[in-house]
Amino acid sequence: MNGETDITGADGVPDPVTADLRLSVNGVPRPVTVDTRETLLDTLREHLGLTGAKKGCDHGQCGACTVLVDGRRALSCLTLTVTADDVEIVTVEGLADGDALHPLQAAFIENDALQCGYCTPGQLCSAAGALAEAADGWPSAVTPDLSAPPRLDETEIRERMSGNLCRCGAYPGIVAAVGQVAR
């Protein structure tokens, strides 16, 4: 084979190329071996048992798989796990502080910001990321004054949460919950 390594398995199908990683998920180091083509969503759900992030569209269009990577929102269905080595990943399971709900989780309950609950983990992670972005002064497409800190009014919240779909239509409650925490 001219010095090339044969990576073909006994069944004639090429063996996957794997990588040994040390992920940091919800503050816990997690060693894992993954196929280099594997998404972060699949790693979280299938290898680590963290099923909060959901596989909605698998194309990055619905936001059900949203997690935080180094504090920024990321669509885990589009993120290759091998790119998540040496970063901090936070899933919905890591938002709460022990038994104490994250303020967004409490506000979602109080404002009836969920119905079936399928999109809720992604909505919560996206909202946490959106609040952090606004606190850091990042404008959105609808921020009227780029020289002033963003004001999280209803229009601003809707824009920042626009990448997360809810088929049940719980948007009024979601916007109210995010607004409550922002205040």
Side-chain angles (χ1 to χ4, degrees):
M1 291 204 359
N2 298 335
E4 294 178 19
T5 303
D6 182 12
I7 58 170
T8 304
D11 57 2
V13 176
D15 291 332
V17 177
T18 61
D20 295 325
L21 305 173
R22 187 173 185 88
L23 302 180
S24 177
V25 183
N26 299 328
V28 178
R30 305 289 294 262
V32 64
T33 300
V34 298
D35 182 323
T36 57
R37 303 165 295 178
E38 187 172 309
T39 66
L40 181 56
L41 177 61
D42 288 335
T43 301
L44 292 170
R45 293 181 62 81
E46 305 301 327
H47 293 288
L48 303 181
L50 297 170
T51 58
K54 302 294 190 261
K55 188 175 282 198
C57 66
D58 215 19
H59 297 306
Q61 297 174 345
C62 72
C65 66
T66 304
V67 297
L68 300 173
V69 176
D70 281 345
R72 298 198 53 193
R73 296 181 277 180
L75 299 170
S76 62
C77 75
L78 296 181
T79 304
L80 292 176
T81 304
V82 293
T83 68
D85 204 16
D86 293 326
V87 299
E88 177 60 34
I89 301 159
V90 176
T91 67
V92 70
E93 292 92 344
L95 287 180
D97 184 12
D99 289 336
L101 293 178
H102 185 281
L104 280 166
Q105 291 170 313
F108 267 56
I109 293 167
E110 185 178 326
N111 289 280
D112 199 25
L114 60 133
Q115 286 183 32
C116 80
Y118 193 83
C119 72
T120 306
Q123 298 278 2
L124 286 164
C125 286
S126 187
L131 290 172
E133 291 164 10
D136 288 342
W138 295 11
S140 77
V142 299
T143 304
D145 182 359
L146 299 181
S147 63
R151 189 174 146 272
L152 288 177
D153 59 14
E154 188 172 308
T155 302
E156 190 75 35
I157 293 168
R158 286 184 185 281
E159 171 61 26
R160 290 176 185 267
M161 295 297 295
S162 66
N164 291 77
L165 303 180
C166 173
R167 293 186 61 154
C168 299
Y171 297 116
I174 293 168
V175 171
V178 176
Q180 176 181 320
V181 174
R183 288 187 288 285

